[in-house]
């Protein structure tokens, strides 16, 4: 009798647990990205002064025409776009009002992209845009450090200290090379995707040069030396 009672109790517990499992599954499904393959850009703009102003979604490359550019008014600090093409876009406020706001590049791809337009703008929520945001953070760090080094180099040169200026220039060159190689590795990991193509075009490993005798040679982009 004890065994039978245990089985009955377990059966009743299972019946009670089943709706809870279904509820958890429904909640999980509700949190997932929409599976319709659409790209949704959900954005906010920080600043009451931008209320009612127009914001634009512009192709990063190619013609910017009435057919290719989308725009809408900012309402309650928010905006929304649904691009129908997988490509790079720029998000720009009306040029009369964009001072102090950082223009933003996004990748139009399936999923919901959460965008914030501010003095430092952000876009996250889909795989390529998450990678683009990480690259953007590293780029801002690189640009600040390189800018500081260049100012210090100029100061040393103005004081006639060419030895320290040259030493700092070498460190700046090495720092820049680390950043370039980081960008190249990221581009390689995204090969065949829109962001991979964009990043891959920034720092190619080689380039072509035409010599005075008419020959076309291949040059190392980092050392500017001919590749034999």
């Amino acid at each position: 009798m004890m065994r039978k009672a245990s089985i009955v109790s377990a059966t009743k517990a299972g019946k009670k647990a089943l709706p809870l499992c279904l509820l958890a599954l429904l909640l999980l499904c509700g949190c997932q990205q929409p599976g319709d393959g659409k790209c949704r850009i959900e954005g906010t703009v920080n600043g009451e002064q931008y209320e009612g102003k127009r914001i634009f979604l512009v192709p990063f490359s190619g013609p910017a025409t009435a057919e290719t550019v989308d725009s809408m008014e900012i309402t309650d600090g928010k905006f929304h776009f649904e691009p129908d093409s997988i490509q790079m876009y720029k998000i720009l406020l009306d040029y009369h009002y964009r001072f102090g706001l950082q223009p933003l590049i996004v990748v139009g791809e399936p999923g919901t992209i959460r965008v914030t337009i501010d003095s430092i703008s952000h876009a996250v929520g889909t795989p390529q845009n998450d990678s683009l945001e990480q690259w953007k953070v590293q780029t801002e760090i690189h640009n600040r450090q390189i800018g500081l080094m260049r100012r210090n180099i100029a100061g040393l040169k103005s004081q006639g200290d060419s030895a320290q200026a040259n030493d700092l220039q070498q460190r700046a060159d090495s720092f820049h090379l680390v950043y370039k190689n980081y960008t190249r590795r990221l581009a390689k990991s995204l090969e065949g995707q829109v962001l991979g193509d964009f990043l891959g075009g920034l720092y190619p490993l080689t380039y072509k040069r035409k010599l005075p005798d008419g020959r076309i040679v291949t040059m190392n982009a980092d050392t500017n030396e001919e590749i034999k």
Side-chain angles (χ1 to χ4, degrees):
M1 291 300 295
M2 288 293 294
R3 177 179 176 84
K4 183 176 181 181
S6 299
I7 294 173
V8 171
S9 299
T11 303
K12 288 181 178 179
K15 288 181 178 180
K16 290 180 180 179
L18 182 59
L20 294 177
C21 292
L22 289 174
L23 178 60
L25 181 60
L26 289 172
L27 289 174
L28 177 62
C29 292
C31 294
Q32 292 177 342
Q33 292 279 6
D36 55 10
K38 289 185 177 180
C39 174
R40 295 177 175 86
I41 298 175
E42 303 288 350
T44 59
V45 182
N46 290 330
E48 294 181 358
Q49 67 271 33
Y50 305 116
E51 188 71 13
K53 305 301 186 294
R54 295 203 75 80
I55 193 164
F56 298 84
L57 184 70
V58 184
F60 185 80
S61 59
T65 65
E67 290 75 25
T68 61
V69 175
D70 196 3
S71 71
M72 69 170 300
E73 287 188 359
I74 298 167
T75 304
D76 296 328
K78 301 184 186 321
F79 62 91
H80 173 84
F81 293 113
E82 289 192 10
D84 56 5
S85 178
I86 299 179
Q87 61 174 303
M88 303 282 289
Y89 291 95
K90 294 177 289 186
I91 298 179
L92 304 168
L93 205 70
D94 185 312
Y95 73 92
H96 292 99
Y97 308 103
R98 69 180 62 156
F99 178 77
L101 297 178
Q102 185 182 55
L104 185 66
I105 300 174
V106 299
V107 181
E109 64 176 340
T112 300
I113 307 166
R114 299 184 301 278
V115 166
T116 302
I117 302 297
D118 205 338
S119 57
I120 298 179
S121 300
H122 303 281
V124 295
T126 62
Q128 290 188 76
N129 283 290
D130 288 347
S131 295
L132 179 56
E133 178 68 15
Q134 293 171 8
W135 175 80
K136 179 174 174 285
V137 169
Q138 294 301 317
T139 299
E140 289 171 350
I141 293 172
H142 164 267
N143 290 347
R144 284 196 299 269
Q145 291 297 323
I146 287 293
L148 178 61
M149 287 179 175
R150 286 174 177 170
R151 289 192 294 273
N152 289 339
I153 290 168
L156 289 169
K157 287 183 176 179
S158 68
Q159 297 169 14
D161 193 344
S162 59
Q164 287 200 53
N166 291 336
D167 179 66
L168 186 55
Q169 182 63 61
Q170 290 179 0
R171 282 188 281 162
D173 292 342
S174 296
F175 183 74
H176 182 54
L177 181 59
V178 170
Y179 167 74
K180 287 199 295 184
N181 287 333
Y182 160 75
T183 301
R184 289 163 176 163
R185 289 194 301 271
L186 184 57
K188 184 69 175 176
S189 71
L190 296 165
E191 193 171 13
Q193 301 181 60
V194 171
L195 181 57
D197 293 342
F198 168 73
L199 295 175
L202 295 179
Y203 299 110
L205 290 169
T206 63
Y207 65 94
K208 300 294 184 181
R209 173 180 288 177
K210 186 175 182 179
L211 300 181
D213 61 7
R215 290 185 300 120
I216 305 295
V217 297
T218 301
M219 309 293 292
N220 183 304
D222 295 329
T223 65
N224 292 315
E225 296 177 350
E226 181 182 351
I227 298 176
K228 301 296 185 180

